[in-house]
Amino acid sequence: MDFFADTAEINEIAELKDLGLLDGVTTNPSLIMKSGRQVFQVLEDICSITDGPVSAEVVALNAQTMVKEGKRLAEIASNIVIKIPLTLEGLKACRILTEEEYRVNVTLCFSANQALLAAKAGATFVSPFLGRLDDIGLDGIELIEEIRIIFDNYDFETQILAASVRSPLHVKDVAIAGSDAVTAHPSVYKKLAEHPLTDTGLESFLNDWKSTGMKIV
Ligand code: E4P
């Protein structure tokens, strides 16, 4: 399962890369706004750090302008994936762009039927938003399970990119459900390595070792 960093902060992306945990990046208009930087500069900087897919989101509402914006964003680097909202106009734009061999990430997906439409429109990725479903008392993981079954039933090549992922438990559950990729804030991935028994076990090994007086190097 690929790990994408859901942030527009360059230092956070670079740190995840150093840890060997970076397969790509997702951004959205809110993350760009939070960075306080100009959209093209941020995306250029991100693409200089990773060769993996970097999702850059359009902001138009009609297909024609979405296509125009998508193509402009794709000029930034060859690894830009055009992120398009899951609306009828967005699906239309997705089909046009994928027919021209651009990669598209259809975002703001909240149902299995929406994911089916994204796959039929030729999307490279579809992004079901788990956390936002959980926020309103619905089951985000069940959505990933449903989409996995549908895509496997019809051999759709569209990859499931579990989004709005906020905890290590989400990461484990989407991995079990067979998501192709996950996007989360880098802090979530760092937490995956944590376990109190690892900490106490290491402390005890090192105390015992110290008492031997031996050295390895
Ligand atoms: C995904 O592509 C989105 O940028 C993101 O995962 C949204 O997450 P949020 O619901 O935590 O804002």
Side-chain angles (χ1 to χ4, degrees):
M1 186 169 70
D2 284 339
F3 283 3
F4 294 172
D6 199 25
T7 178
E9 302 300 326
I10 305 302
N11 56 339
E12 293 173 348
I13 296 166
E15 187 191 6
L16 203 61
K17 185 179 180 183
D18 274 353
L19 292 170
L21 295 175
L22 183 74
D23 296 308
V25 177
T26 53
T27 65
N28 63 38
S30 303
L31 293 172
I32 299 290
M33 182 270 291
K34 277 181 206 150
S35 77
R37 300 181 63 214
Q38 206 273 345
V39 62
F40 289 100
Q41 284 169 3
V42 180
L43 290 166
E44 271 168 30
D45 286 354
I46 295 173
C47 291
S48 72
I49 295 177
T50 179
D51 291 334
V54 174
S55 290
E57 190 158 343
V58 301
V59 289
L61 293 176
N62 68 81
Q64 200 189 353
T65 318
M66 284 180 188
V67 168
K68 217 167 154 186
E69 288 181 352
K71 288 183 178 178
R72 175 66 191 93
L73 291 167
E75 283 172 8
I76 296 171
S78 58
N79 53 328
I80 287 283
V81 174
I82 303 165
K83 204 174 182 192
I84 290 194
L86 210 156
T87 59
L88 289 174
E89 286 295 303
L91 293 166
K92 193 168 154 187
C94 175
R95 189 174 300 280
I96 293 167
L97 287 164
T98 53
E99 276 170 6
E100 292 185 37
E101 302 199 345
Y102 289 95
R103 290 186 297 169
V104 174
N105 173 3
V106 177
T107 189
L108 290 167
C109 172
F110 294 95
S111 78
N113 278 336
Q114 286 184 318
L116 176 59
L117 289 178
K120 284 176 71 65
T124 302
F125 299 100
V126 64
S127 294
F129 276 37
L130 307 193
R132 294 192 192 189
L133 281 171
D134 288 358
D135 289 345
I136 59 163
L138 296 176
D139 190 343
I141 301 302
E142 192 179 288
L143 174 60
I144 301 290
E145 290 165 353
E146 290 174 349
I147 299 172
R148 181 74 281 154
I149 292 168
I150 292 169
F151 284 10
D152 289 350
N153 279 350
Y154 299 100
D155 289 332
F156 282 124
E157 286 176 12
T158 301
Q159 294 181 48
I160 304 172
L161 170 46
S164 188
V165 161
R166 298 175 187 161
S167 68
L169 185 60
H170 268 159
V171 176
K172 183 187 79 170
D173 286 344
V174 301
I176 291 170
S179 193
D180 298 289
V182 59
T183 190
H185 188 268
S187 58
V188 173
Y189 300 120
K190 289 199 274 180
K191 282 186 202 153
L192 300 184
E194 293 172 10
H195 198 289
L197 290 179
T198 303
D199 297 340
T200 52
L202 183 59
E203 193 183 0
S204 132
F205 284 157
L206 292 184
N207 283 339
D208 289 346
W209 181 254
K210 206 172 170 189
S211 72
T212 70
M214 291 189 279
K215 281 197 167 153
I216 296 174
V217 288

